[in-house]
């Protein structure tokens, strides 16, 4: 990889941390932003934030050093984390689309179906599913 690639990846990591940090800050400061729909955005922001904090820097270290300086255990942990975060991002985007679809097409039952409890259960299910699927290679 070239120096330009390293700079770009570092910039992506920085922007991911800052941008998603602003999402956390905004939802903390303004209670009006704590809507059911925005909890999907918060879940997506968390997975992207962790990607920027952990995955991209580890990837940069491995490519700059051109060898596995972190060891096999760290390599397995990083692969698990990367897979978990990618799965969470994909499924959270799907849930966000479903949320918007339900609001537009089924306005009358939207708030009954996608209430706070169900929204948080769906997010917890996505994270649990991602952890299980990403963890399967670790157990054999």
């Amino acid at each position: 990889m070239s120096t330009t690639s390293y700079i770009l990846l570092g910039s992506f990591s920085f922007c991911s941390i800052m941008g998603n940090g602003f999402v956390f800050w905004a939802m903390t400061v303004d209670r009006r932003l704590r809507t059911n729909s925005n909890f999907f955005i918060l879940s997506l922001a968390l997975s992207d934030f962790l990607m920027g904090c952990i995955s991209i820097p580890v990837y940069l270290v491995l490519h700059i050093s051109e060898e596995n300086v972190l060891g096999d255990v760290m390599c397995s942990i990083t692969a698990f984390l990367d897979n978990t975060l990618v799965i969470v991002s994909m499924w959270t985007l799907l849930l966000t689309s479903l949320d918007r679809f339900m609001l537009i097409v089924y306005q009358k039952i939207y708030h009954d179906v996608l209430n706070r409890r169900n929204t948080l259960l769906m997010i917890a299910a996505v994270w649990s599913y991602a952890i299980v699927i990403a963890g399967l290679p670790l157990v054999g």
Side-chain angles (χ1 to χ4, degrees):
M1 287 177 52
S2 67
T3 304
T4 306
S5 299
Y6 297 137
I7 292 171
L8 280 172
L9 279 174
S11 299
F12 290 153
S13 180
F14 177 77
C15 289
S16 175
I17 293 166
M18 294 304 294
N20 292 300
F22 284 132
V23 172
F24 300 141
W25 174 79
M27 286 191 71
T28 302
V29 171
D30 192 349
R31 294 186 61 77
R32 294 173 298 167
L33 292 177
R34 297 179 196 168
T35 64
N36 294 338
S37 297
N38 284 350
F39 280 110
F40 294 123
I41 303 302
L42 187 63
S43 176
L44 184 62
L46 178 60
S47 68
D48 290 346
F49 181 83
L50 292 173
M51 187 72 79
C53 283
I54 301 167
S55 298
I56 295 174
V58 168
Y59 179 74
L60 278 171
V61 166
L62 292 175
H63 280 283
I64 290 171
S65 67
E66 296 182 355
E67 60 183 72
N68 189 0
V69 295
L70 302 174
D72 292 338
V73 173
M74 188 60 179
C75 182
S76 295
I77 291 170
T78 302
F80 165 75
L81 185 62
D82 287 347
N83 290 333
T84 300
L85 297 175
V86 168
I87 292 168
V88 166
S89 291
M90 289 186 324
W91 280 96
T92 302
L93 287 171
L94 176 82
L95 288 178
T96 304
S97 299
L98 178 66
D99 175 68
R100 299 292 82 200
F101 173 79
M102 293 287 293
L103 179 63
I104 293 167
V105 176
Y106 301 105
Q107 292 176 357
K108 292 180 181 172
I109 63 168
Y110 171 78
H111 291 290
D112 295 330
V113 174
L114 285 169
N115 55 34
R116 178 69 47 96
R117 179 181 168 273
N118 289 344
T119 299
L120 295 177
L121 281 174
M122 286 188 281
I123 292 169
V126 163
W127 279 89
S128 300
Y129 170 79
I131 289 168
V132 168
I133 295 300
L136 288 176
L138 297 176
V139 294

